[in-house]
Amino acid sequence: MIFPNTFVVMLRWILFIIIYTVLGLYTLQALRTVTRHPWVHYLFIAISVLVLGNFIYQFTFGEAEGRVLSRPKSYAFGLLLTVLVFQLVTILFLFSEDIFRLVAAWYQKLSGSEKSFTLPERRRFISLLGLGLAAVPFGALLYGMYRGKYNFQVLRYSLEFDDLPDGFDGYQITQISDIHSGSFDNRKKIEYAVDLVNRQKSDVILFTGDMVNNKTEEMLPWAELFSSLEAKDGKFSVLGNHDYGDYIEWDTEESKRQNLEDLKSLQRQMGFDLLLNENRYLKKGADKIALIGVENWGRGGFKKAGDLKKATSQVAEDDFKILMSHDPSHWEDVVLKDGLHYHLTLSGHTHGMQFGIEIPGWVKWSPVKWRYKYWAGIYKEMGQYINVNRGFGFLGYPGRVGIWPEITVITLKKKSLT
């Protein structure tokens, strides 16, 4: 007997395989039009079948216990995405050509013309153009998996404030976010990135959540390395939505709670002062800044554990305030509307979708902008700033294209009166 849920899953797989096969056959038409070398056709078929077979295996029999996306599953998804993008871009051109040929055939039939309307050279040109353009995202996605995910960038900002305490003029903050240690697969690259953070020699290091994908154990191989992060005034952290272990099935609620407690303990062992709806004061002589950290608060089904009122219960209204909150929707929906003025909020979460186009001063685009108004970089509203860090690690697609892993360095400046 096949249970209803099993039947639905099987039906989805069958429909997916049919759609994938149709797209592949359509793309094969373009290859046959462009080249008559059979080995090219067979190579495309072999790659398509192997990628599909690996994807099906990893997401069925190859399921890794206790994870939503293991590394093999992540790469299986990435390779499938790469092939699908290649097929879809090619098909866009072939489909437009087929529409043209269909309209031309109807015209011939209605006009009674006996002359056959065929443009084989046009068909070959369209196929060549489609394949050529499809090769761009195909190559970019492969590069993103091979090199892009570890293409760490240091982004620097200087922000001026009228009421910055004098002792903090020139104060430097390094922000990192979304480590996602469960996705790492190259220790030398991570060692380089950690060293890059330390080389900034900032006054303080602030980590804005998502240390793991799901489980504390993911961070254990990397804990000693990240313990080497250092700054004069210490390093502080908050929790992100993935840190709570909400995205996997646990044997018991107690094991889930214990996982979270283990992560909190591990962060403290690594030297992070974890702020759980709390605040601390950074001091320079008689001057001070309120550093506020809330638990995750996210719009649209994400955990809302952040309690801004609790976190600021000991903070004065006229204090200069820096808020650490993982999800930028918290800033938009809650922080900006709060009675207190938060001079600078530091967030992450979006990853910039790990895909987009950025040319400083010219273009800044990612599909994630359709979900998050504030998705990467510095924004200013109502006299308050937010920086949305693009993330240190990666999740899902095991790479980055155009939106590179980020280490943010922010210098606070006292605004000149002249």
Side-chain angles (χ1 to χ4, degrees):
M1 178 180 179
I2 298 178
F3 295 101
N5 286 346
T6 305
F7 176 77
V8 171
V9 171
M10 289 177 60
L11 182 61
R12 287 174 179 171
W13 277 117
I14 291 170
L15 289 174
F16 174 73
I17 292 170
I18 291 173
I19 293 171
Y20 182 86
T21 302
V22 170
L23 293 177
L25 291 174
Y26 216 130
T27 306
L28 189 59
Q29 286 186 37
L31 287 170
R32 285 176 172 164
T33 302
V34 170
T35 177
R36 298 189 181 278
H37 295 293
W39 69 267
V40 176
H41 311 153
Y42 293 138
L43 179 62
F44 172 75
I45 293 171
I47 291 173
S48 299
V49 170
L50 287 172
V51 167
L52 177 62
N54 182 48
F55 180 80
I56 293 173
Y57 172 77
Q58 294 298 342
F59 281 81
T60 53
F61 304 105
E63 189 89 23
E65 184 179 355
R67 288 193 180 195
V68 173
L69 276 178
S70 62
R71 285 187 200 129
K73 287 169 69 177
S74 184
Y75 276 98
F77 169 73
L79 290 171
L80 182 78
L81 178 65
T82 301
V83 172
L84 280 174
V85 168
F86 179 79
Q87 292 176 347
L88 288 170
V89 173
T90 303
I91 287 169
L92 283 175
F93 286 86
L94 289 184
F95 186 70
S96 64
E97 170 63 7
D98 286 343
I99 294 295
F100 173 81
R101 293 171 70 185
L102 183 61
V103 171
W106 282 347
Y107 173 78
Q108 291 170 10
K109 185 175 181 179
L110 292 173
S111 65
S113 174
E114 297 181 358
K115 186 176 179 181
S116 177
F117 189 85
T118 59
L119 293 172
E121 288 303 314
R122 173 189 169 89
R123 178 71 172 181
R124 187 175 186 278
F125 172 76
I126 293 294
S127 297
L128 189 61
L129 180 62
L131 289 168
L133 290 177
V136 176
F138 178 81
L141 287 167
L142 287 178
Y143 173 83
M145 289 189 284
Y146 176 59
R147 295 286 297 274
K149 61 188 176 184
Y150 294 129
N151 184 25
F152 293 96
Q153 306 289 304
V154 178
L155 301 185
R156 302 179 184 278
Y157 304 99
S158 182
L159 303 180
E160 292 188 337
F161 301 90
D162 292 323
D163 54 348
L164 179 71
D166 293 337
F168 287 88
D169 187 22
Y171 194 78
Q172 185 170 292
I173 299 166
T174 289
Q175 179 199 2
I176 56 174
S177 191
D178 299 87
I179 289 174
H180 287 290
S181 55
S183 300
F184 292 158
D185 55 13
N186 188 319
R187 190 166 190 88
K188 287 187 176 179
K189 296 293 186 181
I190 303 304
E191 288 175 349
Y192 164 78
V194 169
D195 179 64
L196 189 59
V197 174
N198 280 334
R199 276 193 275 144
Q200 306 314 307
K201 297 189 181 301
S202 290
D203 295 287
V204 68
I205 293 174
L206 305 180
F207 169 62
T208 47
D210 277 2
M211 183 166 280
V212 298
N213 295 347
N214 298 294
K215 286 187 168 185
T216 300
E217 65 188 41
E218 297 165 10
M219 191 63 192
L220 295 180
W222 310 96
E224 183 178 357
L225 180 57
F226 280 87
S227 296
S228 67
L229 289 173
E230 55 185 20
K232 290 181 292 184
D233 292 342
K235 50 191 182 184
F236 299 83
S237 63
V238 293
L239 296 175
N241 56 298
H242 278 267
D243 294 324
Y244 295 89
D246 287 340
Y247 305 123
I248 57 174
E249 294 183 7
W250 297 89
D251 294 332
T252 64
E253 279 298 316
E254 176 57 34
S255 59
K256 180 181 178 181
R257 284 193 294 271
Q258 187 59 52
N259 177 72
L260 180 57
E261 292 306 313
D262 289 344
L263 182 61
K264 293 176 182 178
S265 176
L266 181 62
Q267 289 204 28
R268 289 166 181 143
Q269 291 172 32
M270 292 164 59
F272 285 96
D273 187 351
L274 177 61
L275 303 182
L276 301 169
N277 296 320
E278 300 172 273
N279 66 80
R280 304 285 187 269
Y281 277 98
L282 305 173
K283 297 181 179 180
K284 295 289 181 185
D287 294 324
K288 63 181 181 179
I289 281 179
L291 179 63
I292 303 155
V294 295
E295 294 195 51
N296 189 78
W297 192 103
R299 179 199 306 153
F302 288 106
K303 182 179 287 293
K304 292 177 171 61
D307 188 335
L308 199 56
K309 297 300 181 186
K310 179 180 178 182
T312 58
S313 60
Q314 304 299 318
V315 175
E317 185 175 347
D318 59 351
D319 283 337
F320 189 95
K321 305 171 196 68
I322 296 177
L323 172 66
M324 300 167 65
S325 180
H326 177 70
D327 191 319
S329 66
H330 187 222
W331 188 68
E332 182 180 358
D333 293 353
V334 178
V335 177
L336 286 175
K337 301 172 184 176
D338 191 78
L340 295 179
H341 181 90
Y342 298 88
H343 298 75
L344 173 62
T345 298
L346 301 177
S347 299
H349 182 63
T350 71
H351 298 207
M353 204 174 171
Q354 298 170 208
F355 177 85
I357 302 172
E358 286 196 87
I359 303 175
W362 291 86
V363 179
K364 179 182 173 184
W365 178 88
S366 168
V368 79
K369 69 177 293 183
W370 296 323
R371 165 109 193 218
Y372 292 96
K373 181 178 180 180
Y374 310 102
W375 59 273
I378 295 284
Y379 302 88
K380 186 178 183 182
E381 298 283 354
M382 300 169 61
Q384 303 174 70
Y385 288 98
I386 186 173
N387 179 62
V388 184
N389 184 284
R390 294 161 180 82
F392 187 96
F394 51 92
L395 183 70
Y397 165 62
R400 286 177 174 266
V401 179
I403 306 293
W404 311 120
E406 175 182 343
I407 297 164
T408 311
V409 177
I410 298 175
T411 302
L412 307 181
K413 302 292 290 183
K414 180 83 171 185
K415 193 170 185 178
S416 174
L417 297 178
T418 59

